[in-house]
Amino acid sequence: MVKENLMEVRKHMEEACLRSGRNIDDVTLIAVSKTKPVEMLMEAYEAGARDFGENKVQEILEKRPQIPQDARFHMIGHLQRNKVRQVIDKVVLIHSVDSLRLAEQIQAEAQKRQLHTDILLEVNVAREESKYGFFLEEVEEALKEISQFSHLTVKGLMTIAPFVEDPEENRDIFKKLSQLFIDIKSKNIDNGTMSVLSMGMTGDYQVAIEEGSTMIRVGTGIFGAR
Ligand SMILES: *Cc1c(COP(=O)(O)O)cnc(C)c1O
């Protein structure tokens, strides 16, 4: 079933790219495997998936050694500062940097271990109280500070859009983040390091792609309900 689901998602990705004149190679599919067993990750791996998203450090530590080494793990969930040490050398990208203090902790650990960590800044575009992240108007300021850190690079922005019935309701959220991404690049606040816009989940990834997403995070649509 995982294989069929993946094929279905890829087909919808292609359609969304066609509709918006984008190249499918510019959009990376992250298979969000949180709570799912290693056997299911392997099914996805065998069907070509290489990027996996997890939201708990413990699950990354457990699953990663059981999956072939060319698989890439992405930390997409809220990261506590005391867990940074355990995860920074296990993931290719931390999508969920939601505060300056967390960025500082990542910088400190990366420096201590002589590593370099790629991160995204999580943006709470819809200003939901239940969600983490910077507000849109805080991003520039945060980026100015964080882009001076020596052992991490801000690769882009990430958002978790509200849960909605009709994905069109989230189009405006994606547009806003996309516009901020373009503004930041044109003002060169990021020193040219930003290339990733991580937005879109099972319910709304096609709209997100139409609005410029370069990484979609799909869980339910590949692995079924959690
Ligand atoms: C769980 C999760 C997803 C995937 O959600 P689905 O609706 O199952 O596709 C994407 N991003 C984040 C940050 C998540 O926690």
Side-chain angles (χ1 to χ4, degrees):
M1 203 57 206
V2 168
K3 185 178 179 191
E4 288 73 19
N5 289 344
L6 260 174
M7 284 166 58
E8 185 79 6
V9 171
R10 289 190 187 121
K11 187 173 86 171
H12 288 144
M13 287 171 71
E14 267 171 40
E15 289 165 358
C17 283
L18 266 178
R19 281 196 298 275
S20 49
R22 299 191 57 206
N23 189 332
I24 183 87
D25 297 335
D26 296 335
V27 186
T28 301
L29 171 60
I30 299 176
V32 176
S33 46
K34 63 190 186 193
T35 79
K36 298 298 180 184
V38 167
E39 298 77 67
M40 288 184 87
L41 276 73
M42 280 310 299
E43 270 186 71
Y45 180 90
E46 271 148 26
R50 289 297 178 272
D51 291 274
F52 294 90
E54 293 281 346
N55 67 343
K56 292 212 167 71
V57 169
Q58 192 54 39
E59 270 188 81
I60 294 172
L61 298 181
E62 279 170 25
K63 289 173 180 173
R64 189 172 167 274
Q66 303 182 61
I67 307 288
Q69 287 198 354
D70 62 341
R72 296 174 286 269
F73 279 80
H74 297 248
M75 177 61 188
I76 62 172
H78 178 61
L79 178 58
Q80 286 169 305
R81 288 186 303 136
N82 63 7
K83 300 247 170 84
V84 167
R85 190 171 47 80
Q86 293 172 279
V87 82
I88 50 169
D89 60 338
K90 307 288 191 299
V91 293
V92 289
L93 185 63
I94 300 173
H95 291 231
S96 42
V97 176
D98 50 21
S99 72
L100 205 53
R101 292 178 76 209
L102 176 58
E104 282 165 357
Q105 184 73 30
I106 294 168
Q107 157 67 16
E109 278 301 332
Q111 185 159 31
K112 200 188 297 173
R113 309 256 298 271
Q114 288 302 307
L115 306 165
H116 196 96
T117 308
D118 286 336
I119 67 163
L120 305 180
L121 298 186
E122 180 170 348
V123 187
N124 184 358
V125 181
R127 309 180 83 92
E128 290 178 281
E129 278 194 29
S130 59
K131 297 240 168 87
Y132 294 100
F134 298 95
F135 292 143
L136 279 168
E137 68 274 16
E138 297 172 334
V139 173
E140 266 197 40
E141 180 80 22
L143 189 59
K144 277 183 190 153
E145 297 212 29
I146 296 172
S147 56
Q148 314 208 2
F149 293 178
S150 54
H151 286 67
L152 60 76
T153 300
V154 182
K155 287 288 192 182
L157 306 176
M158 176 271 223
T159 197
I160 305 171
F163 183 78
V164 290
E165 287 291 321
D166 176 3
E168 285 298 330
E169 291 176 51
N170 280 336
R171 187 178 293 277
D172 196 46
I173 305 266
F174 298 139
K175 261 194 211 312
K176 280 185 175 145
L177 194 64
S178 217
Q179 191 55 56
L180 177 65
F181 184 67
I182 291 164
D183 288 349
I184 284 170
K185 289 206 286 188
S186 70
K187 293 191 211 161
N188 203 30
I189 299 164
D190 64 319
N191 304 318
T193 64
M194 299 229 300
S195 56
V196 177
L197 196 49
S198 170
M199 57 186 199
M201 306 176 21
T202 297
D204 55 21
Y205 68 86
Q206 300 178 61
V207 174
I209 290 172
E210 289 168 15
E211 297 303 332
S213 173
T214 71
M215 273 189 190
I216 57 170
R217 310 176 308 267
V218 180
T220 314
I222 295 172
F223 297 107
R226 285 179 296 272

